Amino acid sequence: MMEEGSGGGRSNYNRMNDAKNERRVGLIYDQRMCQHRTPYGDDHPEKPDRITVIWNKLELAGIPQRCVILNAKEAKDEYICAVHSKNHVNLIRNISSKEYSKRNRIASKLNSIYLNEGSSESAYLAAGSVIEVAEKVAKGELNSAFAIVRPPGHHAEYDEAMGFCLFNNIAIAASFLLDQRPELGINKILIVDWDVHHGNGTQKTFWSDPRVLFFSVHRHEFGRFYPANFDGFYTMVGEGPGAGYNINVPWENGRCGDADYLAVWDHVLVPVAKEFNPDIILVSAGFDAAVGDPLGGCRLTPHGYSVLLKKLMDFAQGRIVLALEGGYNLDSLANSALACMEVLLEDKPISELSEAYPFESTWRVIQAVRQMLSAYWPTLADKLPTKLTDQKAPPHILLSSSESDDEDDDASKIISKDLVQAVEDVVEPILNLKIEDYHGNEVKNEVNSALWRSKLSKTDIWYAGFGSNMWKSRFLCYIEGGQVIGMKKLCSGSVDRNPPKETRWKTFPHRLFFGRDFTQTWGPGGVAFLDPRSNSEDKAYMCLYKITLEQFNDVLLQENVPDHDMNSPLFDLNALDSILNEGSIPVEAVKRGWYHNVVYLGMEDDIPILTMTCPLSAMESFKSGEIPLCAPSKDYADTLVRGLVEGKQLSEEEATTYIQVASTKPL
C-alpha cells in the first residue's frame, strides 16, 4: 500500500508497488466522516455504513494495498466560497456547535437534510478530500482516484443544502482546478453524474461556463422524481457561453439498466466527449441506480458500472476522479464501488455487456437529446438508423419479482406490448391480487396502466385546439414534451410521443373568449376558453389533430392536473360512447383543472372530434364576474396568431382582429 497519510487511523505500509507500470490510483477514506448521522439515531438511507461497507469490501479484495492512500483534509473556506455563498458556508461551519434544538429547527426548514454535532467536520472533510484527490490527479502524481466521502454533494446549491448534500464536493473540486491552480493546465473538465438523481447543484454552478461540460443521466419522469422539477430535462442545455455544455438525459421511467446506460454512453456521451476532449474527468459516482437500490429503482449491475467507467478511461489520458454521491443498498453499493476500483487499477479486461436492448423510451430520450444538442455538437446531428433504434426491450411491465439482488437474477419478468391483447383476459383477474416488485411495492397499478394504454392506443380521435394549441409547435409540447417561446414552464409530453397522424382546420359555431388573469404556463394575462354551448351566430377557428385516445388522455391530464396518477384513463371507451349522445362530459378526476369538460363537436371521416373547455357552471361565473374575463398577454396571443397564419386560415392582421374581438366582446 502506497500511503501518504493515516487515512483515519489505519496502519502504514511503506512499501512501493513493485509493478512500475501499474497505474497509481489514489484512495481516500476517513472514519471521521461517519460522525455525520441522524440526531436521534434513527435509521436513514444516507447513513455512516455507506462508506464503511465500501472500505470493508475493498479491503477484503486487497484493493487498498495496491493504492496510494491519502489523508482526508478539510477544505478551506475560500475554495468552498467559489461555489457557495458566504452565508451558506458560515451556516455549515457553525452548525455543529449550535444548540441541539436550534440545529434541528434549521434542518427542518431544508429539503431532505439532517444535522448533528458531526455534520460540520464531515462536510468539510468530504469537500476537502475531493479537492485533494483531484489535485493529485491533475498534477500527474496519480493516474486516477476514488474519494469515498459523505455527505454527498451534487444537490447542494449556491445558498442551500438539500437532498442529503451540504457542500457540492465535485463542483468545489472542479472550481479549484480551474481557478485556484491554473498552472496545472486544466482548462476543460468533463463532469459525469451517473447518480440516479439529477445533479441540480452542479448544473447551476457551471450553467454558463464553457470550461465545464456537465453530463447527467438520471431518473426524471417528467419532473416527478427527486428533485422534482424540470431542471433535469433535456432542454436545459446551459446559457450564454455555456450553451450546449449542459447535457441532461432524463429517464422517463425506472428500471433502466445496463443496456440503457450503455446506449446513452455510445450515442450521446462518448461522441460529445471526443469533441470536447477534456483534460480531466470528475465523476459524481452515485450508485443509487444500482440493482436493488431502495430509492433509485433502476437496474445497473456492477459489471454495467465497470463498462461505463472503462469507456471514460479512453479520455483525458485516463485521468479520472470518482467522488461518492448516492447509493443506499449497501450490498450493491459495495459491489459497484469494487467493480469501479478494479477498472481504475486496470485489473482485468472488461467485456462488453451481454445482448440486451434498451427500452423504447430510452431510444426516444436519446434521440430527443441528440436533436436538442446537435446545434452545439455536430457529431450528434445524424439521425440514428432505424435498424438500431428498433432493437428495444419490451415495455417495462413487472408481473412477478424476486427478493434477490444478484446481478444475474432477472427480477423483472417482462412481457411485450404485442402480447398485451392476447393476455388481457388472463391478466385482468390477476390485477385484484397483490403483486410486489423486488422492494415489496405493489405493481398492480403499473400493469393496469399498460393495459388501458394498449387498448386506447388503437382508437383515433380528432382533438380540436382553439387557443394556443392552434399553433402546431405549441400543441406538440403536449405530445413530445418541451416548451415554445413565451411559455414559463415545460410540458412533460405524452407517453406515446408519436406526432399527430393528420392535421386539419375547421370552424365551429362556438364562442371563443379569454378568461382568468394568470397561469403558471403563460404568466399574467387571460387564456382561451370555448363556450361549450353552440350558437349559430358564433364562429371559432380550430385546428384538428388526429391522435389516439391514449394521447388525448395525456393531453387532458396536462391541461388540467399534471400531477394526477394515471393508473386508469381519465376518458375511456365508455366515455367516448356516452359523449356521442350527451354532447359533453365533465371529467371528475381532474375537476380542479379549468379544462376538465370534454365536448363533442361532431364527426370527421367517421372519427369523433373532441375538445376540452370549462364546464357550464364556470360560464355563469365568468358572466357574473366571479371568475375574471381578461385579455391575453402578447406572448399568448402571438401563439394564436402563429397558429392561424401558419395554418393559412387568416392573415396576421385578420388573426389579430379575431383575437381582439374575442377578448372584448361581452359574453
Side-chain angles (χ1 to χ4, degrees):
M1 184 188 305
M2 297 172 282
E3 297 216 4
E4 297 194 2
S6 64
R10 296 181 304 281
S11 58
N12 276 312
Y13 293 82
N14 293 319
R15 69 178 177 83
M16 295 297 290
N17 200 305
D18 294 331
K20 293 182 180 178
N21 60 347
E22 183 167 311
R23 289 174 57 84
R24 287 174 60 83
V25 179
L27 197 56
I28 279 188
Y29 164 76
D30 195 307
Q31 291 178 346
R32 287 178 291 172
M33 284 180 272
C34 293
Q35 297 308 308
H36 172 64
R37 60 182 76 231
T38 55
Y40 301 108
D42 299 333
D43 191 29
H44 190 279
E46 207 297 282
K47 53 191 171 187
D49 290 351
R50 295 180 59 244
I51 60 173
T52 58
V53 295
I54 293 176
W55 181 255
N56 292 341
K57 188 76 173 182
L58 298 183
E59 280 199 316
L60 282 173
I63 297 295
Q65 289 83 348
R66 302 169 55 198
C67 295
V68 179
I69 305 301
L70 303 169
N71 269 337
K73 297 179 181 178
E74 293 191 11
K76 295 181 181 179
D77 281 355
E78 63 179 295
Y79 303 151
I80 302 174
C81 282
V83 170
H84 295 289
S85 71
K86 195 169 286 186
N87 285 340
H88 180 68
V89 174
N90 289 338
L91 173 69
I92 301 303
R93 187 201 308 117
N94 299 318
I95 195 67
S96 291
S97 60
K98 292 186 182 295
E99 291 179 10
Y100 184 81
S101 58
K102 187 172 183 180
R103 200 164 52 226
N104 287 348
R105 280 199 302 273
I106 293 171
S108 68
K109 295 176 182 177
L110 298 171
N111 183 342
S112 302
I113 290 292
Y114 64 78
L115 299 164
N116 77 329
E117 64 278 0
S119 298
S120 297
E121 183 181 33
S122 295
Y124 272 84
L125 285 170
S129 296
V130 182
I131 290 175
E132 179 72 4
V133 294
E135 185 175 21
K136 296 284 187 186
V137 172
K139 284 180 175 178
E141 295 176 13
L142 298 172
N143 297 106
S144 56
F146 183 18
I148 308 170
V149 298
R150 63 177 294 273
H154 70 152
H155 291 310
E157 298 190 351
Y158 176 70
D159 202 31
E160 183 180 3
M162 62 179 290
F164 311 161
C165 302
L166 302 185
F167 288 144
N168 195 316
N169 309 318
I170 207 89
I172 292 167
S175 177
F176 173 85
L177 294 180
L178 291 168
D179 300 325
Q180 300 293 331
R181 294 292 184 269
E183 70 276 7
L184 297 179
I186 301 297
N187 300 311
K188 293 190 291 183
I189 297 177
L190 168 60
I191 297 178
V192 176
D193 190 330
W194 68 40
D195 189 281
V196 79
H197 303 95
H198 178 237
N200 55 289
T202 313
Q203 171 173 296
K204 290 181 179 180
T205 302
F206 302 108
W207 182 244
S208 57
D209 192 338
R211 299 175 300 171
V212 176
L213 173 62
F214 176 64
F215 172 89
S216 179
V217 54
H218 47 271
R219 190 171 169 186
H220 187 253
E221 297 184 12
F222 309 109
R224 292 189 288 269
F225 197 73
Y226 192 89
N229 55 45
F230 276 96
D231 288 350
F233 205 53
Y234 67 83
T235 55
M236 305 297 282
V237 298
E239 68 180 6
Y245 291 90
N246 194 88
I247 301 177
N248 285 311
V249 180
W251 295 143
E252 295 179 359
N253 46 264
R255 288 165 309 284
C256 293
D258 294 354
D260 303 281
Y261 280 81
L262 181 61
V264 169
W265 252 238
D266 287 347
H267 302 294
V268 179
L269 178 56
V270 169
V272 173
K274 284 180 182 176
E275 273 196 55
F276 183 64
N277 191 24
D279 299 315
I280 193 171
I281 299 175
L282 307 182
V283 180
S284 271
F287 295 105
D288 42 5
V291 170
D293 190 274
L295 301 188
C298 285
R299 300 288 293 163
L300 256 178
T301 67
H303 181 65
Y305 280 111
S306 68
V307 173
L308 301 182
L309 182 56
K310 182 64 176 175
K311 286 179 176 287
L312 295 179
M313 298 274 285
D314 292 337
F315 303 100
Q317 299 175 311
R319 294 197 287 186
I320 295 180
V321 172
L322 271 63
L324 182 65
E325 298 284 1
Y328 309 102
N329 178 304
L330 298 183
D331 288 336
S332 284
L333 173 62
N335 290 333
S336 301
L338 173 60
C340 288
M341 282 303 299
E342 290 173 340
V343 172
L344 295 183
L345 287 164
E346 294 189 332
D347 226 18
K348 54 190 177 184
I350 304 297
S351 60
E352 282 287 347
L353 297 168
S354 59
E355 198 168 308
Y357 297 134
F359 288 128
E360 180 181 6
S361 61
T362 296
W363 287 124
R364 185 163 58 239
V365 169
I366 288 173
Q367 289 173 313
V369 171
R370 286 173 62 94
Q371 183 178 358
M372 189 73 200
L373 290 162
S374 60
Y376 309 100
W377 303 101
T379 187
L380 301 181
D382 293 339
K383 191 172 182 180
L384 296 178
T386 305
K387 185 177 180 182
L388 175 68
T389 57
D390 280 346
Q391 296 177 343
K392 54 199 174 190
H396 41 284
I397 306 172
L398 292 174
L399 291 183
S400 62
S401 64
S402 165
E403 293 300 319
S404 171
D405 286 327
D406 189 317
E407 66 193 78
D408 295 322
D409 176 35
D410 183 11
S412 304
K413 303 299 188 269
I414 301 174
I415 62 173
S416 72
K417 194 169 183 178
D418 293 338
L419 293 177
V420 169
Q421 184 66 49
V423 300
E424 279 177 358
D425 293 339
V426 176
V427 172
E428 287 181 359
I430 297 175
L431 294 177
N432 295 318
L433 302 177
K434 183 179 180 182
I435 307 171
E436 297 181 347
D437 66 9
Y438 53 86
H439 300 315
N441 302 316
E442 282 198 68
V443 297
K444 165 183 165 183
N445 289 339
E446 194 160 339
V447 180
N448 215 1
S449 175
L451 288 174
W452 76 254
R453 287 187 177 280
S454 175
K455 283 182 178 179
L456 302 195
S457 69
K458 299 177 177 66
T459 300
D460 287 339
I461 60 99
W462 292 99
Y463 165 68
F466 53 82
S468 63
N469 287 334
M470 288 192 293
W471 185 26
K472 188 174 183 180
S473 296
R474 161 65 180 103
F475 176 69
L476 287 177
C477 295
Y478 279 148
I479 300 298
E480 299 173 353
Q483 63 191 125
V484 294
I485 187 169
M487 291 174 64
K488 312 300 183 189
K489 58 178 280 193
L490 293 160
C491 294
S492 60
S494 303
V495 171
D496 177 1
R497 299 198 167 204
N498 287 310
K501 298 167 185 173
E502 191 178 343
T503 303
R504 296 183 184 178
W505 282 85
K506 288 193 75 171
T507 58
F508 293 88
H510 286 262
R511 169 69 196 280
L512 174 72
F513 66 97
F514 296 89
R516 306 282 181 172
D517 54 14
F518 181 88
T519 64
Q520 289 186 343
T521 302
W522 296 99
V527 288
F529 289 92
L530 195 76
D531 189 331
R533 298 162 298 192
S534 63
N535 185 330
S536 59
E537 296 181 2
D538 291 318
K539 178 181 178 181
Y541 289 88
M542 297 197 204
C543 185
L544 275 53
Y545 302 97
K546 188 193 285 188
I547 59 175
T548 68
L549 190 55
E550 178 199 2
Q551 289 175 313
F552 179 77
N553 272 266
D554 286 332
V555 173
L556 182 61
L557 177 75
Q558 293 173 81
E559 279 279 23
N560 288 283
V561 189
D563 59 351
H564 180 77
D565 197 340
M566 289 287 277
N567 295 320
S568 57
L570 300 171
F571 191 88
D572 59 13
L573 292 171
N574 289 332
L576 186 60
D577 287 339
S578 298
I579 203 170
L580 302 182
N581 297 318
E582 297 177 21
S584 67
I585 294 180
V587 179
E588 288 299 308
V590 289
K591 64 182 179 181
R592 287 186 291 135
W594 297 344
Y595 296 92
H596 70 271
N597 187 27
V598 178
V599 178
Y600 170 62
L601 297 172
M603 289 282 189
E604 181 81 2
D605 296 342
D606 293 324
I607 296 173
I609 305 169
L610 305 178
T611 192
M612 54 192 79
T613 185
C614 60
L616 284 172
S617 58
M619 288 299 301
E620 298 308 312
S621 298
F622 278 120
K623 287 180 179 179
S624 68
E626 182 183 347
I627 302 175
L629 294 170
C630 183
S633 67
K634 184 179 186 306
D635 282 341
Y636 184 78
D638 283 348
T639 63
L640 278 72
V641 172
R642 285 191 182 97
L644 289 163
V645 172
E646 290 181 12
K648 299 180 179 179
Q649 301 301 299
L650 298 172
S651 67
E652 185 172 343
E653 183 179 354
E654 290 170 334
T656 302
T657 302
Y658 170 70
I659 294 163
Q660 187 175 11
V661 169
S663 62
T664 55
K665 183 180 176 182
L667 285 179

